[in-house]
Amino acid sequence: MKKKLVGVLMCAAMTATMLAGCGNSSTPATTPAEPAPAAPAETQAAAPAETQAAQAEAPEASGDVVKVGFAQVGHESDWRAANTKNYQDTFSAANGYELSFVDCDNDHAVQIETVRGFIEQELDYICIAPIQSAGWDTVLQEAQDAGIPVLIVDRAVDADASLYTTALGCDMIAEGETAGNWLAEYLDGEDANILVIEGSVGASATLGRTEGFNNIVEQNSNWTVLDSQSGDFTQAGGQEVMESFIKSYSDFNVVVCQNDNEAYGAMDAMDAAGITYGVDGDVIIISFDATHDGLQYTLDGKITCNVECNPLQAGFAEGVVQKLEAGEAVDAWTLVEDEAFVAPGIDSDYAVTMSQEVLDGRAY
Ligand code: AHR
């Protein structure tokens, strides 16, 4: 649908220090329809700023197709695959949408040009999962000048919040703090010599998890971060960084991997070097994402703590689109909540103890 948009109702002002994701084939989604998740129940709204009236009919009422562009980070992790599927299932033809999905392959320049392409195509809405948080002002201004609402999803941008319509995702700083708080509880005063395998450089998921974890490191004078290097959120990256760490350090007892795929690579590297890890080993592994396979390793006691980042976020984005289609105001920021999980036999104030039942209940 070419939007008959004069303006959109939006709550623009937000203090976006929150959380912290294009092959270039613009293809409508063909995934079979599945009921979209409900609109978010819990939101954190900042002060409403400007209110302009939207003049657009709901797709159900008009029978028009709503054209949505999604500039996705890439395909670096299991989390990303689940997130992509969730968007394709939600913004499906059967649900009244034409989704232009672009996998930007972790290339910021490609992602910027993808958004420009969406503007040129005069799509109705643009969703951006930013690869990196910096460098967005110009293209966001171009989208605003074209009157196209932009949803910043999953990760954050550094740009002023007045340049986009809404943002949604998990709180990456809180995820890092949860990991740190759990570690303090588990170690109960014991020393920690920590190696960190960070995510992609400049991504708000990396920046937020690092900041949050370091907040807790600062509170524990007997903890030392020996080294911190990017594994780019990939299994190969995690393995490469861990192999290099093993050559340089012999006295570590904690490895923090900023996503599950990096943890799989780190475990491969430790296996090859004869280093034991997990609840029965010498090294504590902390991971992020809590995808199905990551939680299987947690259930098996190999990953001791796994902090969730919920990839099922498309329903929140669709909730925003539906509100805008109906001419309603939207929140400036929507928090997607998550939790943490620990291996069986561990009780924690910060995490759920893993069981087969919990694993069986996972949707991703
Ligand atoms: O932005 C979310 C992060 O990006 C996930 O933790 C990671 O797996 C993905 O690549």
Side-chain angles (χ1 to χ4, degrees):
M1 175 179 68
K2 174 77 173 67
K3 184 173 280 301
K4 300 151 281 190
L5 185 72
V6 172
V8 289
L9 269 165
M10 52 188 207
C11 301
M14 64 180 273
T15 52
T17 53
M18 44 163 209
L19 65 174
C22 302
N24 202 3
S25 63
S26 185
T27 50
T30 53
T31 317
E34 158 181 306
E42 295 173 54
T43 57
Q44 291 180 347
E50 49 185 277
T51 52
Q52 297 175 296
Q55 296 181 349
E57 294 173 54
E60 303 79 16
S62 66
D64 288 338
V65 168
V66 179
K67 294 181 181 173
V68 177
F70 183 24
Q72 174 64 293
V73 168
H75 50 274
E76 71 284 358
S77 63
D78 296 350
W79 188 99
R80 191 61 56 193
N83 180 252
T84 290
K85 181 177 186 311
N86 183 230
Y87 270 86
Q88 291 175 332
D89 288 350
T90 300
F91 290 100
S92 66
N95 287 341
Y97 298 98
E98 183 177 302
L99 178 67
S100 295
F101 173 84
V102 181
D103 174 335
C104 298
D105 201 18
N106 222 24
D107 186 325
H108 174 67
V110 169
Q111 192 168 40
I112 296 284
E113 287 313 307
T114 296
V115 173
R116 285 213 167 92
F118 292 160
I119 296 168
E120 278 166 19
Q121 293 165 56
E122 300 182 321
L123 300 186
D124 300 316
Y125 300 92
I126 297 174
C127 296
I128 306 170
I131 293 166
Q132 63 180 55
S133 53
W136 285 98
D137 294 45
T138 304
V139 77
L140 289 175
Q141 185 66 62
E142 290 167 19
Q144 192 168 77
D145 292 346
I148 302 176
V150 170
L151 290 72
I152 303 295
V153 301
D154 167 29
R155 299 179 184 173
V157 291
D158 286 343
D160 192 89
S162 64
L163 285 175
Y164 51 88
T165 305
T166 193
L168 62 95
C170 298
D171 184 337
M172 307 297 188
I173 296 174
E175 290 178 4
E177 288 178 341
T178 297
N181 281 322
W182 170 79
L183 184 63
E185 175 190 57
Y186 186 67
L187 288 175
D188 195 22
E190 278 178 43
D191 295 348
N193 288 319
I194 305 165
L195 293 167
V196 180
I197 306 180
E198 297 183 15
S200 302
V201 174
S204 68
T206 303
L207 298 169
R209 289 170 189 165
T210 303
E211 179 183 335
F213 187 74
N214 285 344
N215 287 343
I216 310 305
V217 171
E218 283 168 16
Q219 298 168 16
N220 289 272
S221 56
N222 61 335
W223 291 11
T224 305
V225 176
L226 300 169
D227 210 336
S228 191
Q229 302 285 337
S230 170
D232 215 10
F233 284 132
T234 66
Q235 179 164 346
Q239 181 169 349
E240 194 180 328
V241 171
M242 194 67 226
E243 286 168 354
S244 147
F245 282 164
I246 288 168
K247 285 181 191 149
S248 303
Y249 304 97
S250 55
D251 57 346
F252 58 92
N253 61 341
V254 179
V255 175
V256 178
C257 306
Q258 288 188 348
N259 81 346
D260 280 339
N261 292 80
E262 289 181 340
Y264 309 152
M267 287 190 281
D268 287 346
M270 284 192 272
D271 285 340
I275 297 169
T276 61
Y277 51 85
V279 291
D280 298 322
D282 292 332
V283 175
I284 297 163
I285 298 180
I286 296 174
S287 185
F288 291 83
D289 283 357
T291 55
H292 183 278
D293 291 357
L295 284 186
Q296 179 70 62
Y297 280 111
T298 311
L299 181 62
D300 294 344
K302 299 293 186 187
I303 293 173
T304 310
C305 176
N306 205 329
V307 181
E308 184 184 35
C309 181
N310 190 339
L312 305 183
Q313 303 185 1
F316 295 85
E318 196 203 10
V320 168
V321 167
Q322 287 182 346
K323 279 189 168 184
L324 292 174
E325 286 287 305
E328 296 172 13
V330 298
D331 293 326
W333 159 236
T334 300
L335 173 69
V336 178
E337 294 197 352
D338 41 32
E339 54 190 341
F341 301 89
V342 285
I346 301 173
D347 286 328
S348 174
D349 290 340
Y350 301 97
V352 173
T353 304
M354 270 307 291
S355 64
Q356 187 63 49
E357 201 179 350
V358 171
L359 187 63
D360 292 345
R362 298 302 279 178
Y364 54 90

